[in-house]
Amino acid sequence: QSLFEQIGGEAAVNTAVDIFYRKVLADHRINRFFDNVDMEQQAAKQKAFLTMAFGGPNSYTGADMRNAHARLVKMGLDDSHFDAVMEHLGGTLKELNVPDNLIEQVAAIAESTRNDVLGR
Ligand code: HEM
């Protein structure tokens, strides 16, 4: 069974989107990056984010991650912001009672995108 399936597949992603998004938008360290983002598309993007982090089917490439965040890097996106998102990802999964060993695997996947997201 894939990591995506072990966590609960698409149903788990849908539940996680709400929790994760609430945490991110409430966090003053990072919510400015979401200011001018099309809100209608946000749910889909959060879903894509979490599906990717769960090792699921929508596998984004590094180039996509680089492009998707290039505008944010110009706004000052750095390691501290990336760390904050990682924190919310872990916190969301904890709230959903995902086992620690699976949370570690999710964190490793998200972590592997750091340099692309930060454009370096
Ligand atoms: C967009 C993944 C880190 C803020 C996206 C998209 C994905 C994604 C899949 C949608 C791209 C598209 O289809 O258009 C990730 C992953 C990350 C990460 C895997 C690593 C943990 C971050 C961080 C921030 C951030 C650290 C800011 C604190 C955004 C914003 C958008 C976005 C604002 C929308 C950009 C726009 O519409 O112009 N991300 N992201 N992401 N991400 Fe991330």
PDB file of all heavy atoms in Angstrom, residues 61-86:
ATOM      1  N   THR A  61       6.584  18.258 -10.522  1.00  0.00           N
ATOM      2  CA  THR A  61       8.037  18.180 -10.666  1.00  0.00           C
ATOM      3  C   THR A  61       8.681  19.372  -9.965  1.00  0.00           C
ATOM      4  O   THR A  61       8.007  20.332  -9.612  1.00  0.00           O
ATOM      5  CB  THR A  61       8.440  18.245 -12.153  1.00  0.00           C
ATOM      6  OG1 THR A  61       8.099  19.540 -12.648  1.00  0.00           O
ATOM      7  CG2 THR A  61       7.732  17.179 -12.957  1.00  0.00           C
ATOM      8  N   GLY A  62       9.988  19.299  -9.802  1.00  0.00           N
ATOM      9  CA  GLY A  62      10.718  20.411  -9.211  1.00  0.00           C
ATOM     10  C   GLY A  62      10.512  21.689 -10.002  1.00  0.00           C
ATOM     11  O   GLY A  62      10.347  22.767  -9.437  1.00  0.00           O
ATOM     12  N   ALA A  63      10.505  21.560 -11.324  1.00  0.00           N
ATOM     13  CA  ALA A  63      10.329  22.744 -12.174  1.00  0.00           C
ATOM     14  C   ALA A  63       8.986  23.405 -11.891  1.00  0.00           C
ATOM     15  O   ALA A  63       8.879  24.622 -11.807  1.00  0.00           O
ATOM     16  CB  ALA A  63      10.432  22.357 -13.642  1.00  0.00           C
ATOM     17  N   ASP A  64       7.934  22.595 -11.720  1.00  0.00           N
ATOM     18  CA  ASP A  64       6.620  23.143 -11.389  1.00  0.00           C
ATOM     19  C   ASP A  64       6.667  23.889 -10.058  1.00  0.00           C
ATOM     20  O   ASP A  64       6.098  24.962  -9.919  1.00  0.00           O
ATOM     21  CB  ASP A  64       5.571  22.026 -11.265  1.00  0.00           C
ATOM     22  CG  ASP A  64       5.221  21.408 -12.613  1.00  0.00           C
ATOM     23  OD1 ASP A  64       5.397  22.090 -13.635  1.00  0.00           O
ATOM     24  OD2 ASP A  64       4.781  20.257 -12.620  1.00  0.00           O
ATOM     25  N   MET A  65       7.309  23.275  -9.077  1.00  0.00           N
ATOM     26  CA  MET A  65       7.398  23.884  -7.749  1.00  0.00           C
ATOM     27  C   MET A  65       8.150  25.208  -7.818  1.00  0.00           C
ATOM     28  O   MET A  65       7.788  26.186  -7.174  1.00  0.00           O
ATOM     29  CB  MET A  65       8.108  22.938  -6.769  1.00  0.00           C
ATOM     30  CG  MET A  65       7.299  21.745  -6.331  1.00  0.00           C
ATOM     31  SD  MET A  65       5.850  22.223  -5.374  1.00  0.00           S
ATOM     32  CE  MET A  65       4.618  22.249  -6.640  1.00  0.00           C
ATOM     33  N   ARG A  66       9.203  25.226  -8.622  1.00  0.00           N
ATOM     34  CA  ARG A  66      10.004  26.429  -8.820  1.00  0.00           C
ATOM     35  C   ARG A  66       9.134  27.540  -9.432  1.00  0.00           C
ATOM     36  O   ARG A  66       9.098  28.650  -8.932  1.00  0.00           O
ATOM     37  CB  ARG A  66      11.147  26.065  -9.778  1.00  0.00           C
ATOM     38  CG  ARG A  66      12.385  26.866  -9.697  1.00  0.00           C
ATOM     39  CD  ARG A  66      13.500  26.143 -10.459  1.00  0.00           C
ATOM     40  NE  ARG A  66      14.226  25.260  -9.568  1.00  0.00           N
ATOM     41  CZ  ARG A  66      15.234  25.685  -8.808  1.00  0.00           C
ATOM     42  NH1 ARG A  66      15.643  26.934  -8.864  1.00  0.00           N
ATOM     43  NH2 ARG A  66      15.857  24.843  -8.005  1.00  0.00           N
ATOM     44  N   ASN A  67       8.415  27.198 -10.494  1.00  0.00           N
ATOM     45  CA  ASN A  67       7.551  28.187 -11.161  1.00  0.00           C
ATOM     46  C   ASN A  67       6.423  28.660 -10.258  1.00  0.00           C
ATOM     47  O   ASN A  67       6.122  29.849 -10.206  1.00  0.00           O
ATOM     48  CB  ASN A  67       6.939  27.590 -12.437  1.00  0.00           C
ATOM     49  CG  ASN A  67       7.933  27.565 -13.575  1.00  0.00           C
ATOM     50  OD1 ASN A  67       8.796  28.447 -13.650  1.00  0.00           O
ATOM     51  ND2 ASN A  67       7.839  26.574 -14.426  1.00  0.00           N
ATOM     52  N   ALA A  68       5.788  27.709  -9.574  1.00  0.00           N
ATOM     53  CA  ALA A  68       4.621  28.040  -8.750  1.00  0.00           C
ATOM     54  C   ALA A  68       4.985  29.027  -7.643  1.00  0.00           C
ATOM     55  O   ALA A  68       4.147  29.806  -7.214  1.00  0.00           O
ATOM     56  CB  ALA A  68       4.022  26.775  -8.139  1.00  0.00           C
ATOM     57  N   HIS A  69       6.227  29.009  -7.193  1.00  0.00           N
ATOM     58  CA  HIS A  69       6.613  29.837  -6.050  1.00  0.00           C
ATOM     59  C   HIS A  69       7.560  30.982  -6.393  1.00  0.00           C
ATOM     60  O   HIS A  69       7.968  31.728  -5.501  1.00  0.00           O
ATOM     61  CB  HIS A  69       7.207  28.945  -4.946  1.00  0.00           C
ATOM     62  CG  HIS A  69       6.255  27.896  -4.467  1.00  0.00           C
ATOM     63  ND1 HIS A  69       6.196  26.641  -5.027  1.00  0.00           N
ATOM     64  CD2 HIS A  69       5.272  27.935  -3.536  1.00  0.00           C
ATOM     65  CE1 HIS A  69       5.241  25.938  -4.444  1.00  0.00           C
ATOM     66  NE2 HIS A  69       4.650  26.695  -3.540  1.00  0.00           N
ATOM     67  N   ALA A  70       7.886  31.122  -7.675  1.00  0.00           N
ATOM     68  CA  ALA A  70       8.862  32.153  -8.069  1.00  0.00           C
ATOM     69  C   ALA A  70       8.402  33.549  -7.644  1.00  0.00           C
ATOM     70  O   ALA A  70       9.197  34.357  -7.140  1.00  0.00           O
ATOM     71  CB  ALA A  70       9.095  32.106  -9.581  1.00  0.00           C
ATOM     72  N   ARG A  71       7.114  33.828  -7.819  1.00  0.00           N
ATOM     73  CA  ARG A  71       6.556  35.123  -7.435  1.00  0.00           C
ATOM     74  C   ARG A  71       6.730  35.350  -5.926  1.00  0.00           C
ATOM     75  O   ARG A  71       6.966  36.463  -5.467  1.00  0.00           O
ATOM     76  CB  ARG A  71       5.058  35.121  -7.805  1.00  0.00           C
ATOM     77  CG  ARG A  71       4.331  36.429  -7.637  1.00  0.00           C
ATOM     78  CD  ARG A  71       2.889  36.307  -8.128  1.00  0.00           C
ATOM     79  NE  ARG A  71       2.055  35.392  -7.324  1.00  0.00           N
ATOM     80  CZ  ARG A  71       1.480  35.733  -6.172  1.00  0.00           C
ATOM     81  NH1 ARG A  71       1.643  36.937  -5.685  1.00  0.00           N
ATOM     82  NH2 ARG A  71       0.746  34.854  -5.507  1.00  0.00           N
ATOM     83  N   LEU A  72       6.580  34.275  -5.148  1.00  0.00           N
ATOM     84  CA  LEU A  72       6.676  34.378  -3.691  1.00  0.00           C
ATOM     85  C   LEU A  72       8.125  34.594  -3.252  1.00  0.00           C
ATOM     86  O   LEU A  72       8.389  35.305  -2.282  1.00  0.00           O
ATOM     87  CB  LEU A  72       6.105  33.118  -3.029  1.00  0.00           C
ATOM     88  CG  LEU A  72       4.702  32.709  -3.503  1.00  0.00           C
ATOM     89  CD1 LEU A  72       4.264  31.428  -2.814  1.00  0.00           C
ATOM     90  CD2 LEU A  72       3.699  33.809  -3.263  1.00  0.00           C
ATOM     91  N   VAL A  73       9.063  33.982  -3.990  1.00  0.00           N
ATOM     92  CA  VAL A  73      10.480  34.189  -3.674  1.00  0.00           C
ATOM     93  C   VAL A  73      10.816  35.668  -3.848  1.00  0.00           C
ATOM     94  O   VAL A  73      11.533  36.259  -3.031  1.00  0.00           O
ATOM     95  CB  VAL A  73      11.378  33.292  -4.569  1.00  0.00           C
ATOM     96  CG1 VAL A  73      12.855  33.661  -4.423  1.00  0.00           C
ATOM     97  CG2 VAL A  73      11.172  31.813  -4.216  1.00  0.00           C
ATOM     98  N   LYS A  74      10.245  36.281  -4.884  1.00  0.00           N
ATOM     99  CA  LYS A  74      10.448  37.735  -5.086  1.00  0.00           C
ATOM    100  C   LYS A  74       9.863  38.544  -3.935  1.00  0.00           C
ATOM    101  O   LYS A  74      10.326  39.640  -3.637  1.00  0.00           O
ATOM    102  CB  LYS A  74       9.818  38.191  -6.403  1.00  0.00           C
ATOM    103  CG  LYS A  74      10.595  37.738  -7.619  1.00  0.00           C
ATOM    104  CD  LYS A  74      10.129  38.441  -8.897  1.00  0.00           C
ATOM    105  CE  LYS A  74      10.764  37.821 -10.131  1.00  0.00           C
ATOM    106  NZ  LYS A  74       9.775  37.518 -11.170  1.00  0.00           N
ATOM    107  N   MET A  75       8.833  37.999  -3.296  1.00  0.00           N
ATOM    108  CA  MET A  75       8.214  38.673  -2.140  1.00  0.00           C
ATOM    109  C   MET A  75       9.000  38.423  -0.850  1.00  0.00           C
ATOM    110  O   MET A  75       8.610  38.909   0.215  1.00  0.00           O
ATOM    111  CB  MET A  75       6.773  38.170  -1.929  1.00  0.00           C
ATOM    112  CG  MET A  75       5.768  38.608  -2.988  1.00  0.00           C
ATOM    113  SD  MET A  75       4.182  37.706  -2.826  1.00  0.00           S
ATOM    114  CE  MET A  75       3.574  38.292  -1.223  1.00  0.00           C
ATOM    115  N   GLY A  76      10.038  37.581  -0.935  1.00  0.00           N
ATOM    116  CA  GLY A  76      10.864  37.345   0.239  1.00  0.00           C
ATOM    117  C   GLY A  76      10.730  35.967   0.874  1.00  0.00           C
ATOM    118  O   GLY A  76      11.198  35.740   1.999  1.00  0.00           O
ATOM    119  N   LEU A  77      10.097  35.046   0.182  1.00  0.00           N
ATOM    120  CA  LEU A  77       9.917  33.700   0.728  1.00  0.00           C
ATOM    121  C   LEU A  77      11.271  33.078   1.075  1.00  0.00           C
ATOM    122  O   LEU A  77      12.172  33.067   0.239  1.00  0.00           O
ATOM    123  CB  LEU A  77       9.191  32.812  -0.301  1.00  0.00           C
ATOM    124  CG  LEU A  77       8.725  31.445   0.187  1.00  0.00           C
ATOM    125  CD1 LEU A  77       7.518  31.588   1.110  1.00  0.00           C
ATOM    126  CD2 LEU A  77       8.367  30.530  -0.987  1.00  0.00           C
ATOM    127  N   ASP A  78      11.408  32.584   2.308  1.00  0.00           N
ATOM    128  CA  ASP A  78      12.679  31.986   2.715  1.00  0.00           C
ATOM    129  C   ASP A  78      12.478  30.761   3.617  1.00  0.00           C
ATOM    130  O   ASP A  78      11.345  30.315   3.811  1.00  0.00           O
ATOM    131  CB  ASP A  78      13.587  33.040   3.387  1.00  0.00           C
ATOM    132  CG  ASP A  78      13.044  33.527   4.727  1.00  0.00           C
ATOM    133  OD1 ASP A  78      12.198  32.835   5.338  1.00  0.00           O
ATOM    134  OD2 ASP A  78      13.475  34.605   5.171  1.00  0.00           O
ATOM    135  N   ASP A  79      13.566  30.243   4.161  1.00  0.00           N
ATOM    136  CA  ASP A  79      13.507  29.025   4.980  1.00  0.00           C
ATOM    137  C   ASP A  79      12.552  29.153   6.164  1.00  0.00           C
ATOM    138  O   ASP A  79      11.888  28.182   6.524  1.00  0.00           O
ATOM    139  CB  ASP A  79      14.904  28.670   5.503  1.00  0.00           C
ATOM    140  CG  ASP A  79      15.779  28.019   4.447  1.00  0.00           C
ATOM    141  OD1 ASP A  79      15.398  26.949   3.949  1.00  0.00           O
ATOM    142  OD2 ASP A  79      16.828  28.588   4.120  1.00  0.00           O
ATOM    143  N   SER A  80      12.482  30.333   6.763  1.00  0.00           N
ATOM    144  CA  SER A  80      11.619  30.486   7.942  1.00  0.00           C
ATOM    145  C   SER A  80      10.152  30.255   7.564  1.00  0.00           C
ATOM    146  O   SER A  80       9.394  29.657   8.336  1.00  0.00           O
ATOM    147  CB  SER A  80      11.810  31.872   8.572  1.00  0.00           C
ATOM    148  OG  SER A  80      11.231  32.882   7.768  1.00  0.00           O
ATOM    149  N   HIS A  81       9.772  30.704   6.371  1.00  0.00           N
ATOM    150  CA  HIS A  81       8.393  30.514   5.909  1.00  0.00           C
ATOM    151  C   HIS A  81       8.144  29.055   5.558  1.00  0.00           C
ATOM    152  O   HIS A  81       7.083  28.497   5.826  1.00  0.00           O
ATOM    153  CB  HIS A  81       8.108  31.420   4.705  1.00  0.00           C
ATOM    154  CG  HIS A  81       8.438  32.858   4.958  1.00  0.00           C
ATOM    155  ND1 HIS A  81       9.383  33.537   4.235  1.00  0.00           N
ATOM    156  CD2 HIS A  81       7.985  33.723   5.904  1.00  0.00           C
ATOM    157  CE1 HIS A  81       9.481  34.777   4.703  1.00  0.00           C
ATOM    158  NE2 HIS A  81       8.648  34.906   5.723  1.00  0.00           N
ATOM    159  N   PHE A  82       9.157  28.461   4.946  1.00  0.00           N
ATOM    160  CA  PHE A  82       9.040  27.036   4.605  1.00  0.00           C
ATOM    161  C   PHE A  82       8.878  26.229   5.895  1.00  0.00           C
ATOM    162  O   PHE A  82       8.035  25.325   5.972  1.00  0.00           O
ATOM    163  CB  PHE A  82      10.283  26.581   3.818  1.00  0.00           C
ATOM    164  CG  PHE A  82      10.115  25.252   3.152  1.00  0.00           C
ATOM    165  CD1 PHE A  82       9.755  25.152   1.809  1.00  0.00           C
ATOM    166  CD2 PHE A  82      10.303  24.069   3.877  1.00  0.00           C
ATOM    167  CE1 PHE A  82       9.586  23.916   1.201  1.00  0.00           C
ATOM    168  CE2 PHE A  82      10.146  22.833   3.269  1.00  0.00           C
ATOM    169  CZ  PHE A  82       9.785  22.754   1.921  1.00  0.00           C
ATOM    170  N   ASP A  83       9.673  26.557   6.916  1.00  0.00           N
ATOM    171  CA  ASP A  83       9.582  25.852   8.200  1.00  0.00           C
ATOM    172  C   ASP A  83       8.186  25.988   8.808  1.00  0.00           C
ATOM    173  O   ASP A  83       7.656  25.033   9.387  1.00  0.00           O
ATOM    174  CB  ASP A  83      10.616  26.406   9.193  1.00  0.00           C
ATOM    175  CG  ASP A  83      12.054  26.079   8.793  1.00  0.00           C
ATOM    176  OD1 ASP A  83      12.251  25.184   7.954  1.00  0.00           O
ATOM    177  OD2 ASP A  83      12.974  26.730   9.329  1.00  0.00           O
ATOM    178  N   ALA A  84       7.591  27.177   8.672  1.00  0.00           N
ATOM    179  CA  ALA A  84       6.249  27.402   9.229  1.00  0.00           C
ATOM    180  C   ALA A  84       5.220  26.501   8.540  1.00  0.00           C
ATOM    181  O   ALA A  84       4.347  25.913   9.194  1.00  0.00           O
ATOM    182  CB  ALA A  84       5.859  28.875   9.082  1.00  0.00           C
ATOM    183  N   VAL A  85       5.344  26.372   7.211  1.00  0.00           N
ATOM    184  CA  VAL A  85       4.428  25.497   6.479  1.00  0.00           C
ATOM    185  C   VAL A  85       4.628  24.040   6.903  1.00  0.00           C
ATOM    186  O   VAL A  85       3.660  23.293   7.098  1.00  0.00           O
ATOM    187  CB  VAL A  85       4.594  25.674   4.949  1.00  0.00           C
ATOM    188  CG1 VAL A  85       3.918  24.560   4.172  1.00  0.00           C
ATOM    189  CG2 VAL A  85       4.021  27.034   4.524  1.00  0.00           C
ATOM    190  N   MET A  86       5.863  23.646   7.097  1.00  0.00           N
ATOM    191  CA  MET A  86       6.158  22.285   7.561  1.00  0.00           C
ATOM    192  C   MET A  86       5.504  22.020   8.926  1.00  0.00           C
ATOM    193  O   MET A  86       4.988  20.931   9.183  1.00  0.00           O
ATOM    194  CB  MET A  86       7.677  22.070   7.679  1.00  0.00           C
ATOM    195  CG  MET A  86       8.426  22.053   6.365  1.00  0.00           C
ATOM    196  SD  MET A  86       8.011  20.639   5.330  1.00  0.00           S
ATOM    197  CE  MET A  86       8.732  19.308   6.284  1.00  0.00           C
TER     198      MET A  86
END
